[in-house]
Each structure stands twice: as structure tokens, then as C-alpha cells.
């Protein structure tokens, strides 16, 4: 499995995607800074409390990397079905399910790592900004930081599972457009915020959707051994 994953990453040069992750994080910093300065110039309180900022950060990161995962799905799975190269791989003396599982595992791990890294990176910048510039009405406590790290880990795991849901819409029609559009809709629904409330605030929702996403991944590859190569 790990050898297959390494081959896939080398084949598609997936390490280069971390450059895009870095650019996304710079965009997050710019967006949050813009909100702060615009609200400040208008005499408003930019962020009501620490919970509100973490909610916005979480929503931005999840939405971005759910869509990012859909791009990977199109590249690693849908695209190979469309150009028939997947059928060449299926002629190799390797279990087909392992081939597909390796692709999906790459997507899951990539999504988990990017959500974790980006969220903790932005949280660290927020903490430093609060320490040096006092940008929040209240103080950030150790309890807040501990709770945020635990929540970030859980949300990253859930998002990694959720990232496979667009596969349900794209795999049967072999449609990259359906995969991307469905990921955008999912990202919007899950990342809509009202103060410090999102659907991720109800812990049962991300857990259920994460498990459902894993089921979608399993469902998509369970009959791959029966795929006709003709």
C-alpha cells in the first residue's frame, strides 16, 4: 500500500501541491487582516471574541481544502477513468482495490494534514497578534488553546472523511465537473457561519459526515474487481 502511495505521489508530483497550500495560507492571512482593518477603520469591533475568530478560521480552512480534495479526486481518480489510463493500471498484477485504496488514502491524509497545518498555523499567528497587539476584547487562556487543538484535530479527521463525499457524485458519471461542483456546495453548507456557530459546532454532524465520506470511498471501490477492461 505504502509503495503504491509513493508511486502515485511521484507520478503526479503531489509534493508540489504544498506550494498551493502555502499560497492558500497567505490568502487566509490577507483575508483575516482585511476584515480586521476594515472593521477597525469603521469603528467596529473586528472580532467579538476568540471563539468567533477560531470559527471563521475553521470555516475558511475546511471549505478551501474540501474543494482542494475534490481537485485531487479528479486528478487521481476521475481523470484516469476518463482518459482510460486506470484500465492500464488494472492490468498490473496488483489487487485493484489496493490501487484505488492507495489513491483515496493519499487524498484523506493530504486533507487531514493540510487542515491541521493551516488551522494551527493561523491559530498561532492569532495568538501572537493578540500577545503583541491586543486585537481581541478578551484574553486567550491555556484552556482556550487546549480546547482549540483538540477541536482542530477532530475537525481535521472529520474533514478528511468528508473530502471523499464528492466522489459519490463524480465516479459514476466519470465527471470532474460534478465532483468539483458538489465539493463547492458541501463546503458552502458546512462552512457558513453565524457568529461563532457553524454546522461543525454540533459535533455529531461532522462525525456522521466523516464516517459517511469513508463509506462513500468504500462504496466507490468495492466492485472495482468486476470492472470490465474491454
Amino acid at each position: 500500500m505504502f509503495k503504491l502511495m509513493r508511486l502515485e505521489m511521484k507520478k503526479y508530483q503531489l509534493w508540489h501541491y504544498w506550494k498551493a497550500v502555502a499560497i492558500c495560507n497567505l490568502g487566509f492571512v490577507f483575508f483575516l487582516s482585511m476584515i480586521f482593518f476594515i472593521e477597525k477603520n469603521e469603528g467596529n469591533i473586528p472580532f467579538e471574541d476568540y471563539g468567533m475568530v477560531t470559527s471563521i478560521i475553521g470555516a475558511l480552512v475546511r471549505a478551501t481544502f474540501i474543494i482542494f480534495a475534490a481537485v485531487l479526486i479528479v486528478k487521481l481518480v476521475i481523470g484516469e477513468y476518463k482518459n482510460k489510463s486506470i484500465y492500464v493500471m488494472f492490468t498490473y498484477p496488483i489487487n485493484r482495490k489496493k490501487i484505488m485504496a492507495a489513491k483515496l488514502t493519499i487524498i484523506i491524509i493530504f486533507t487531514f494534514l493540510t487542515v491541521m497545518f493551516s488551522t494551527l498555523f493561523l491559530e498561532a499567528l492569532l495568538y501572537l497578534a493578540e500577545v503583541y497587539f491586543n486585537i481581541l476584547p478578551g484574553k486567550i487562556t491555556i484552556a482556550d488553546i487546549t480546547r482549540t487543538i483538540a477541536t482542530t484535530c477532530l475537525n481535521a479527521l472529520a474533514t478528511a472523511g468528508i473530502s471523499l463525499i464528492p466522489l459519490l457524485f463524480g465516479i459514476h458519471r466519470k465527471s470532474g465537473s460534478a465532483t468539483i461542483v458538489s465539493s463547492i456546495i458541501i463546503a458552502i453548507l458546512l462552512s457558513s457561519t453565524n457568529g461563532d456557530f457553524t454546522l461543525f459546532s454540533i459535533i455529531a454532524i461532522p462525525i456522521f459526515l466523516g464516517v459517511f465520506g469513508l463509506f462513500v470511498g468504500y462504496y466507490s471501490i468495492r466492485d472495482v474487481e468486476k470492472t470490465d477492461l474491454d
Side-chain angles (χ1 to χ4, degrees), residues 111-137:
T111 304
F112 173 78
L113 291 177
T114 51
V115 172
M116 279 291 293
F117 168 79
S118 300
T119 305
L120 294 178
F121 169 71
L122 295 173
E123 294 286 354
L125 289 183
L126 172 64
Y127 178 76
L128 292 174
E130 169 61 19
V131 169
Y132 289 104
F133 304 108
N134 193 28
I135 65 173
L136 298 175

Side-chain angles (χ1 to χ4, degrees), residues 31-44:
F31 179 73
L32 292 169
S33 299
M34 184 176 64
I35 291 177
F36 178 82
F37 287 114
I38 289 175
E39 292 295 318
K40 198 76 171 176
N41 288 336
E42 292 181 356
N44 300 323

Side-chain angles (χ1 to χ4, degrees), residues 74 77-84 86-87 167-179 220 227:
V74 172
V77 181
I78 307 299
E80 289 211 344
Y81 271 106
K82 290 186 71 173
N83 62 28
K84 308 297 184 181
I86 192 70
Y87 299 112
L167 188 63
L168 179 66
F169 301 93
I171 190 69
H172 294 297
R173 297 178 60 185
K174 310 298 185 292
S175 171
S177 298
T179 305
S220 300
T227 301

Side-chain angles (χ1 to χ4, degrees), residues 6 25 69 72 89 93 100 102 123 136 152 169 177 184-185 201 212 225:
R6 285 198 300 271
N25 277 278
L72 289 179
M89 295 185 70
M100 296 301 294
E123 294 286 354
L136 298 175
T152 297
F169 301 93
S177 298
I184 293 173
I185 293 173
S201 301
F212 178 68
E225 296 292 341

